[in-house]
């Protein structure tokens, strides 16, 4: 029986939902539609499908520890995480997944999913996957087509042809995103589906098809996979080879050129969360039409989406608003104008604002840290060290550090001294002194780190020993 490998495209170049176009935390890693992140929901909705392997997740280097942590939180201990050195669209990413899979499972079937979709009818989703699996076993290239609910201009369309006995259709044509008049006509005609960007095909079938229709992509990605490096729990695709690949979507590179393409209709209450307005539309609302997440208090507030992940947000006498409050940015916009965030992001990028590319919370292989306060020649951070984890033995040339344990027990190397500190105890690490921090307990360790010096950048680190191979 063919093994099904879910390939989850995560952290790509799609529309960001966070208040600014966040490099660190795009929408798929955030709990926007429930208690789980969208990546976690994508993984969990596959539960119950026969012969499903652990997921293969394709993300960029900056998101790797966050992806690994979110997998661990939902019980996925050994995911395959491929790291894209640069963004090259979906065709090279899927080619990398197929080529890597072929090393161990030549007859496997890839189920390609995006990490930023919402699917509420899981039974209908599983039924569509079962149909797609049988079609893929025949060597067909399968795409999932969303049964349209309106004349939407935000998606490409798939024109179906002959209906097969299992409910799938042969594909006659792929259409670009239409204007409104064309979309109305397609919706009225019937026989058209929204292109959801979800696919299923045998590993060897997609490799052969890409070799025929996109040889430049396959040539580059073969070298990127063959020269990939194991980096702790991650696989780094070779940067030089990967950069040589053309940037193209799997639709353009393969699906539109192939003859053996079928579409499986999907009527499963699907949404592609591409904007705050879409998220508001699919969320459960209170009697006044509001959606609230976090510590929110409302009065005389109507038809609004209000999210906060830190301090309380209060609204009085407002209507038709998107309010999103985070640690380092707050967005307030009319629901009808929220799409204009793209122009604000471009303006902030031109001004060199650090909020576009930096975030207060940063994941590391040992846990994470977040910035509490920053000023002239000082910075205060909170370090969260996972059980059994350890920071590298290192030194800094331009800063000293003061560590205060606020939860757990810390095993510390400070120069020639090795000490254990409990809650409320602290130690000072002078400039140029080798030091390390380890959590030998089975509960998380939290440390307040006070940095002082003329330069506080993360690149002022000289590592001597590191269990994660970063020396």
């Amino acid at each position: 029986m063919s093994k099904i490998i879910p390939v989850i495209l995560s952290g790509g170049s799609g529309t960001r939902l966070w208040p600014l176009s966040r490099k660190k935390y795009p929408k798929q890693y955030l709990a926007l539609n429930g208690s789980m992140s969208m990546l976690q929901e994508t993984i969990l909705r596959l539960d119950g499908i026969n012969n499903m392997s652990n997921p293969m997740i394709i993300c960029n280097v900056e998101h790797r520890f966050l992806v690994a942590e979110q997998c661990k939180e939902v019980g996925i201990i050994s995911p395959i995480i491929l790291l894209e050195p640069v963004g090259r669209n979906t065709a090279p990413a899927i080619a990398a997944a197929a080529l890597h899979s072929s090393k161990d499972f030549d007859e496997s079937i890839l189920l390609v999913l995006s990490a930023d979709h919402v699917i509420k009818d899981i039974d209908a989703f599983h039924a569509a996957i079962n149909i797609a699996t049988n079609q893929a076993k025949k060597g067909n290239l399968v795409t999932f087509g969303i049964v349209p609910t309106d004349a939407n201009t935000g998606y490409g369309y798939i024109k179906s042809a002959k209906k097969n006995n299992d409910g799938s259709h042969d594909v006659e044509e792929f259409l670009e995103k239409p204007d409104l008049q064309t979309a109305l006509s397609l919706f009225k005609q019937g026989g058209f589906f929204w292109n959801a960007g979800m696919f299923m095909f045998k590993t060897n079938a997609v490799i052969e098809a890409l070799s025929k229709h996109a040889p430049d992509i396959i040539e580059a990605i073969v070298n990127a996979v063959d020269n990939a490096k194991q980096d702790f729990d991650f696989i780094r695709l070779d940067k030089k080879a990967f950069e040589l690949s053309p940037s193209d979507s799997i639709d353009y590179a393969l699906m539109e050129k192939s003859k053996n393409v079928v579409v499986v209709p999907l009527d499963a209450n699907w949404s592609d969360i591409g904007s705050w307005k879409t998220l508001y539309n699919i969320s459960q609302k209170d009697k006044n039409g509001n959606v609230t997440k976090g510590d929110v208090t409302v009065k005389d507030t109507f038809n609004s989406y209000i999210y906060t992940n830190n301090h309380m947000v209060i609204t009085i006498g407002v209507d038709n608003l998107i309010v999103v409050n985070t640690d380092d940015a707050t967005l307030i916009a009319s629901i009808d104008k929220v799409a204009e965030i793209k122009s604000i992001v471009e303006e902030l990028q031109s001004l060199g604002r650090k909020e576009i590319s930096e975030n207060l919370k940063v994941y590391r292989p040992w846990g994470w840290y977040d910035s509490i306060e920053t000023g002239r020649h000082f910075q205060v951070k909170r370090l969260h060290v996972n059980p059994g984890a350890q920071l590298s033995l290192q030194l800094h040339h331009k800063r000293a550090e003061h560590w205060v344990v606020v939860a757990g027990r810390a095993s510390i190397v400070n120069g020639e001294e090795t000490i254990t500190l409990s809650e409320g105890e602290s130690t000072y690490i002078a400039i140029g002194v080798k030091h390390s921090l380890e959590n030998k307990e089975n509960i998380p360790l939290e440390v307040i780190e006070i940095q002082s010096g003329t330069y506080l950048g993360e690149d002022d680190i000289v590592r001597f020993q590191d269990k994660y191979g970063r020396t």
Side-chain angles (χ1 to χ4, degrees):
M1 183 179 292
S2 300
K3 181 175 288 293
I4 299 174
I5 302 176
V7 177
I8 301 176
L9 306 181
S10 178
S13 57
T15 302
R16 303 292 191 235
L17 269 185
W18 217 218
L20 304 175
S21 184
R22 303 321 301 268
K23 189 177 179 182
K24 296 291 184 184
Y25 296 97
K27 57 186 173 180
Q28 47 267 54
Y29 306 126
L30 302 170
L32 298 178
N33 191 49
S35 59
M36 297 289 181
S37 75
M38 301 190 75
L39 171 62
Q40 291 171 327
E41 288 183 348
T42 301
I43 294 170
L44 292 175
R45 71 171 63 106
L46 299 174
D47 185 41
I49 298 175
N50 293 331
N51 209 36
M52 185 73 66
S53 73
N54 275 344
M56 176 184 297
I57 301 173
I58 303 176
C59 67
N60 65 43
V61 172
E62 292 176 341
H63 297 153
R64 64 194 187 280
F65 300 124
L66 183 55
V67 167
E69 184 66 22
Q70 292 203 351
C71 287
K72 182 179 178 181
E73 288 175 359
V74 294
I76 305 297
I77 306 302
S78 302
I80 300 171
I81 302 178
L82 296 184
L83 303 182
E84 284 184 300
V86 293
R88 282 293 184 268
N89 215 315
T90 56
I94 292 170
L99 289 163
H100 181 81
S101 299
S102 69
K103 293 182 177 181
D104 299 318
F105 305 105
D106 186 47
E107 292 299 313
S108 60
I109 294 174
L110 303 184
L111 171 61
V112 180
L113 304 170
S114 174
D116 55 7
H117 291 175
V118 171
I119 298 175
K120 294 186 177 181
D121 189 341
I122 304 302
D123 290 339
F125 179 53
H126 286 191
I129 289 175
N130 290 335
I131 295 172
T133 300
N134 291 329
Q135 286 291 335
K137 286 178 180 178
K138 298 176 182 178
N140 290 322
L141 307 178
V142 184
T143 183
F144 293 85
I146 305 302
V147 177
T149 56
D150 56 42
N152 199 300
T153 60
Y155 307 119
Y157 281 68
I158 301 168
K159 184 178 182 181
S160 64
K162 180 177 72 72
K163 185 176 181 179
N164 302 311
N165 292 333
D166 59 3
S168 66
H169 296 252
D170 293 344
V171 171
E172 182 174 326
E173 185 182 5
F174 287 86
L175 290 82
E176 298 286 346
K177 296 177 182 178
D179 57 30
L180 180 57
Q181 193 63 36
T182 303
L184 287 168
S185 174
L186 299 180
F187 185 63
K188 185 177 180 180
Q189 287 179 53
F192 292 87
F193 301 96
W194 292 339
N195 188 350
M198 299 186 290
F199 309 94
M200 207 164 187
F201 24 60
K202 289 175 67 173
T203 300
N204 56 7
V206 72
I207 293 173
E208 291 173 6
L210 282 168
S211 299
K212 176 181 178 180
H213 297 294
D216 291 348
I217 291 177
I218 281 292
E219 181 180 356
I221 303 305
V222 164
N223 291 328
V225 172
D226 287 346
N227 294 294
K229 305 293 184 185
Q230 190 76 34
D231 178 7
F232 190 46
D233 291 334
F234 312 105
I235 299 168
R236 287 180 180 262
L237 299 171
D238 183 75
K239 185 175 187 292
K240 185 176 181 180
F242 199 86
E243 286 178 331
L244 293 176
S245 172
S247 179
D248 213 345
S249 72
I250 195 70
D251 295 288
Y252 292 130
L254 178 61
M255 304 300 281
E256 295 182 7
K257 299 175 182 177
S258 300
K259 302 299 183 185
N260 58 327
V261 179
V262 299
V263 57
V264 174
L266 180 60
D267 189 3
N269 205 346
W270 170 94
S271 294
D272 173 14
I273 300 186
S275 71
W276 286 110
K277 185 175 182 179
T278 302
L279 182 58
Y280 169 77
N281 288 338
I282 70 167
S283 299
Q284 185 173 351
K285 302 167 184 65
D286 65 19
K287 63 181 181 180
N288 293 321
N290 297 317
V291 178
T292 59
K293 305 283 185 178
D295 191 2
V296 176
T297 299
V298 298
K299 181 178 176 60
D300 295 332
T301 296
F302 305 93
N303 309 313
S304 295
Y305 183 98
I306 306 165
Y307 175 103
T308 180
N309 70 346
N310 48 31
H311 59 257
M312 179 189 295
V313 169
I314 302 169
T315 62
I316 303 173
V318 302
D319 187 12
N320 203 48
L321 284 185
I322 298 290
V323 179
V324 183
N325 178 63
T326 73
D327 294 323
D328 51 4
T330 300
L331 168 69
I332 303 173
S334 165
I335 288 180
D336 299 327
K337 295 287 187 179
V338 73
E340 296 182 16
I341 190 174
K342 180 178 180 181
S343 63
I344 298 296
V345 170
E346 292 171 350
E347 182 179 340
L348 293 173
Q349 285 175 328
S350 67
L351 295 173
R353 290 297 299 258
K354 66 178 183 179
E355 289 86 353
I356 297 299
S357 59
E358 298 179 10
N359 199 276
L360 296 179
K361 190 172 185 178
V362 178
Y363 280 79
R364 289 289 185 257
W366 44 262
W368 51 261
Y369 70 82
D370 58 7
S371 294
I372 298 173
E373 184 64 67
T374 301
R376 178 175 171 79
H377 294 167
F378 81 91
Q379 182 168 221
V380 182
K381 292 183 176 180
R382 176 176 54 157
L383 312 182
H384 180 100
V385 185
N386 295 328
Q390 181 180 17
L391 280 68
S392 59
L393 180 66
Q394 60 187 258
L395 63 76
H396 311 292
H397 289 299
K398 298 180 180 180
R399 73 172 185 252
E401 295 179 341
H402 192 156
W403 287 344
V404 182
V405 177
V406 294
R409 285 167 57 87
S411 299
I412 295 172
V413 173
N414 187 352
E416 300 298 322
E417 185 180 17
T418 300
I419 57 177
T420 299
L421 299 183
S422 299
E423 293 180 18
E425 297 179 329
S426 65
T427 188
Y428 173 78
I429 302 159
I431 294 175
V433 172
K434 291 183 181 179
H435 57 281
S436 179
L437 175 64
E438 183 176 4
N439 181 7
K440 295 182 178 180
E441 310 298 319
N442 59 5
I443 60 173
L445 166 67
E446 293 212 350
V447 174
I448 300 299
E449 177 180 274
I450 305 167
Q451 302 177 357
S452 58
T454 58
Y455 180 74
L456 306 174
E458 283 300 302
D459 54 349
D460 180 24
I461 298 177
V462 180
R463 291 189 174 95
F464 299 93
Q465 296 174 13
D466 183 70
K467 67 188 294 184
Y468 310 109
R470 296 175 297 164
T471 52

